Amino acid sequence: MHYLIVGNGVGGMEAALGLRRRDGGARITIVADEHDHFYSRPALMYVFAGQTSLRDTEPYDRALYERLRFERVRGRVAALDAAGKSVRLDEGRTIGYDRLLLAVGSTGRPAPWPGAAGPGLHYFVTLRDLEGLDRDARPGRHAVVVGGGLIGVEVAEILRHRGLKVTFVIRENWYFPLALDEREAAMVAEHLGRHGVDVRLGVNVQEVRRGEDGSLRGVRLSPAARAAPPTGAAEVPCDLLVSAIGVVPNTAFLAGSGLALSKGGAIEVDERLRAGGPEVWAAGDCANVTWADGSRRPEQLWYTARDQGRVAAASMLGDPATYIRGAWYNSAKFFDLEYTTAGWVPVRLDWDNTPLDPGPDLREWFQRAPTGFDSQRVVGRGDRVVGFNMVGRRWNHEVLLDWIAARRTLEFVLDHLAEAQFDEELSPRWRRQGPAALT
Amino acid sequence: MQAGLMDTYHRPLRSRKAVAWVLCAALVAFYLLVYYTDVLEGPARRLRLSGKWTLYSVLYTLAMVVGGAFFLRRHGNSPYQRVRTVTVVSVQVVLAFALPLVMKVLGHQEYYFSYFWPLKIEYFYPSVILHQPFLIVLYSFLGSLVAFPLLGYFLGKRFYCSWICGCGGLANTAGDSFRHLSDKSTGAWRFEKVSVYTVLAAAVITTVIVGLNWAVGKDHPAFSAFGFGVQRWYGLVVGGFFSGVLGVGLYPLMGTRVWCRFACPMAAVLGLLQKFGRFRITVKKDMCIACGNCSTYCEMGIDVRAYAMANEDVKRAACVGCGMCAHVCPRGVLKLESRPVRFKGGEPIRVYAVDL
């Protein structure tokens, strides 16, 4: 049996490990064009910052591929022949397979603004992106970072550390409305401001200005849809433009392969992660899966890509394994502020600044510490706690999810919240300030 | 991100470039001079210090105070790091520097209250310890045989290695910029397990021989010569060469805990107690992004990330509980703990999304 895995990220690597664990004799080939070794993509920012080396971000020793007899092919797949069970690399070579896993991940969503393409435009998703940005990010320069999500804030942090001026352009009326409410976002924006980031809310890039030689001169900003009146100059000069407006699946090569793709380009898979073609599976960022709320979208998270890789391996081995999305949780860091979320937290603002209705019988408890950047939001439906959004300190999502699963009441949770604290030892114990203010 | 750790790999001194080799050579040369020559006696007298060891003690304490201040500037935002650093520097200044100096000035034989057998092997040599007042003898024996095993079991070896000990103190203050250079390979781990327990065995055997020599040496001149020989060699090789010359000399190339990891007999004893004790690094399930900051900054070369990725609490004899893995983790996955149970109540939920 020849298993072919396209992609050497966490999904592909977990699948390869799962296959080898069960099938010692199988031939396993991994095709990848980014790096010879599996590394942690979320760690790119630490390599950029010089906090770790690229080697430090490789979780396994480099002898792993030889030890587990993973054949490596360095190259990029240009086309899939699902009927003929083979892929063609862009150098022309063809590789046949018995079973194929597509774990091709995603790349930065192309900057759509007029004049964007050209020197000085950067993304921050792949090693190539990192190398380009590393060359260009020199002290004293001015960078415009577009996109109020996690990659944007990571890039802004390192560029500030490198001594660049940073303007952070965000389309929505507050930072990261997908995860934060207005109060939390205001706190984060204040924190970014203290680190010298010029945060511009409710603005779009209207066009990118370039000189006659094509060099980047600046961007022209315009108010976003339904935005509060923007402040600050509409013309922002810059030497670097970083587009951090999301990612798109790396699936252009699948056009004409017969595999069904979603509108966004993700590979449609069933609950066993089988893609449309015979003996083809997909996992990770590039797979369109069913979420707990029934919607179908790709999950662009580290741990879900890992889990999908494991399920794909079991499924490829013939097990009746299914991918079931568990409760939502995630964590992140905005400069120094730690962020933990668990369960269901209402999104209050759509991408086009339309207010969203959180639905009936919503109860929310919110507290911000009188000093510093530290807030907790506990979300309830009726009496029952359904979600948590915590900024500024560490929380144990396992405990938070326990409470949600056990249908704990808001009152119970608020009485016990300190038990879920996960700060470093000797940190002050979390305290509730006065009675619960429920909204 | 950790402000103090950014650019670690952009600095030649911190990434084994030529300047790091020069510093290593300088440190090795300095330690060879201190341990095996009297070259430093002259400068010591000129500074009106009583001898080279007092000069060494002054330099060592100064390095810890200055290094501690730098460390606090970088990592003082963490309460654990703040309290730990202030404690270990204070212990050095008071117990390992000021108090012995005062004793010496008052005409007593000096005694380092922060050092115990088997690290300070002399403190179980009858010929050394019995010259001390009874209370100090009691302090030394109760410390090594009662207090340390109990504290090691309940708190982990960190109470000593990261909070009290001067060797660990220097590593985590003046040497802290080099912590990421520790060898993470499994080969190093295999070597460490052999070497550290070999030195522990050597320490125990040496102590027994020296004790026997004290008791019966007068009647057996041949054994007596042998006993003094063993005592001298242990001092020269383990006390001087391993802990000083290599232990500090290799900071710029192999990280800060070479001595503690590969050779310290005290770390070996406490590590065994820790392995069966309460201390562990709790891992939050399925939250690790495998970035590798924890493993990179582990000065003991523990691959913390492997545990975090496997959702397994870290329980390793080597861990000195410096707390930096938890501190640098960008997802707050790790927590040092020594309380018996962290959380009771509620059924453990299957956070894990996969149904295999």
Side-chain angles (χ1 to χ4, degrees), chain B residues 77-277:
Chain B
N77 57 338
S78 151
Y80 184 78
Q81 298 306 335
R82 199 161 58 232
V83 179
R84 184 178 69 75
T85 303
V86 169
T87 306
V88 76
V89 172
S90 307
V91 166
Q92 171 67 25
V93 170
V94 177
L95 296 188
F97 177 71
L99 219 53
L101 209 65
V102 169
M103 292 171 84
K104 222 160 155 181
V105 169
L106 295 179
H108 279 279
Q109 180 159 11
E110 60 194 345
Y111 185 83
Y112 295 89
F113 288 91
S114 54
Y115 288 96
F116 294 83
W117 183 90
L119 173 56
K120 192 82 173 161
I121 194 166
E122 303 93 291
Y123 287 175
F124 267 23
Y125 291 170
S127 51
V128 173
I129 194 70
L130 295 180
H131 283 294
Q132 293 287 355
F134 175 70
L135 280 179
I136 287 186
V137 177
L138 198 67
Y139 176 85
S140 174
F141 277 78
L142 284 182
S144 289
L145 300 176
V146 181
F148 270 57
L150 284 175
L151 289 167
Y153 178 84
F154 285 105
L155 297 174
K157 75 201 251 189
R158 58 185 176 152
F159 91 85
Y160 189 69
C161 300
S162 292
W163 288 71
I164 294 176
C165 178
C167 308
L170 187 71
N172 291 349
T173 53
D176 198 71
S177 305
F178 303 113
R179 60 163 52 243
H180 60 291
L181 300 171
S182 59
D183 190 335
K184 277 44 171 213
S185 67
T186 42
W189 185 11
R190 275 198 298 273
F191 180 81
E192 155 200 331
K193 282 189 278 194
V194 173
S195 68
V196 79
Y197 297 115
T198 305
V199 176
L200 174 62
V204 172
I205 293 167
T206 303
T207 309
V208 170
I209 289 173
V210 171
L212 283 176
N213 189 14
W214 175 78
V216 300
K218 272 187 230 91
D219 309 325
H220 301 84
F223 178 75
S224 180
F226 167 72
F228 283 118
V230 168
Q231 180 176 345
R232 187 163 161 271
W233 274 102
Y234 185 90
L236 283 178
V237 175
V238 178
F241 200 71
F242 285 179
S243 81
V245 179
L246 294 184
V248 179
L250 289 175
Y251 273 15
L253 300 181
M254 290 183 64
T256 41
R257 292 274 192 170
V258 172
W259 155 254
C260 315
R261 181 181 178 191
F262 296 108
C264 176
M266 181 67 103
V269 175
L270 289 172
L272 290 174
L273 290 159
Q274 167 162 291
K275 186 86 186 164
F276 301 104

Side-chain angles (χ1 to χ4, degrees), chain B residues 17-86:
Chain B
K17 296 284 156 51
V19 58
W21 288 82
V22 171
L23 180 62
C24 172
L27 286 169
V28 166
F30 170 76
Y31 270 90
L32 289 173
L33 291 180
V34 172
Y35 276 97
Y36 306 114
T37 74
D38 289 329
V39 171
L40 288 176
E41 292 291 353
R45 306 263 180 243
R46 271 198 294 285
L47 291 166
R48 291 196 222 156
L49 299 169
S50 58
K52 65 173 181 178
W53 291 114
T54 309
L55 174 62
Y56 175 69
S57 187
V58 169
L59 291 175
Y60 197 100
T61 306
L62 203 62
M64 273 184 65
V65 170
V66 174
F70 271 106
F71 182 86
L72 285 177
R73 215 180 61 177
R74 286 155 53 159
H75 303 295
N77 57 338
S78 151
Y80 184 78
Q81 298 306 335
R82 199 161 58 232
V83 179
R84 184 178 69 75
T85 303
V86 169

